[in-house]
Amino acid sequence: MANIVVRTAERYSTRAQNRIVERLRSSGALKPASAIAYAPTGRGEKRLLERMVKFGAIVAETEGQYWLDERALGHFRKEELARVLGAIAVAGFAAAGAIAFGR
């Protein structure tokens, strides 16, 4: 069960990251001088973009203008995976506690 949850969470997060990253890469937005306008397509993508900007994986030059920091992206992806796995671990501990108290 937990393995299915991990794969689903990873897949969702990775797809949204890949959409954003691929858009910036394909536009050549890899340095400040080549920043492009980017508008997220949905609420989840908007939250992910905000997290990536806050982390520094994507740099906001001006309002709506972004470029990709490839080095920081690698670190962001590791942190994102750790965040997803941490949430799953907490859910697992909660389920185990519920089972234990239910007996």
Side-chain angles (χ1 to χ4, degrees):
M1 171 76 176
N3 195 20
I4 293 169
V5 175
V6 169
R7 283 187 289 178
T8 303
E10 269 184 343
R11 198 173 305 129
Y12 170 76
S13 179
T14 303
R15 282 183 187 162
Q17 281 181 43
N18 288 343
R19 277 194 305 270
I20 295 170
V21 169
E22 188 54 39
R23 172 79 159 94
L24 294 171
R25 280 182 182 154
S26 67
S27 299
L30 301 174
K31 54 189 172 189
S34 59
I36 63 162
Y38 179 78
T41 57
R43 188 173 46 183
E45 195 171 299
K46 181 180 179 184
R47 284 194 308 256
L48 179 60
L49 178 66
E50 289 169 356
R51 281 199 319 268
M52 293 176 86
V53 168
K54 186 175 181 180
F55 188 87
I58 294 177
V59 182
E61 282 299 302
T62 59
E63 186 64 34
Q65 296 279 353
Y66 302 98
W67 63 277
L68 178 66
D69 183 342
E70 291 279 0
R71 180 177 294 152
L73 177 64
H75 297 297
F76 175 79
R77 286 190 165 163
K78 290 176 192 173
E79 291 289 326
E80 192 71 3
L81 178 60
R83 187 179 74 82
V84 168
L85 294 176
I88 291 169
V90 168
F93 287 129
I99 291 169
F101 287 120
R103 290 188 174 189

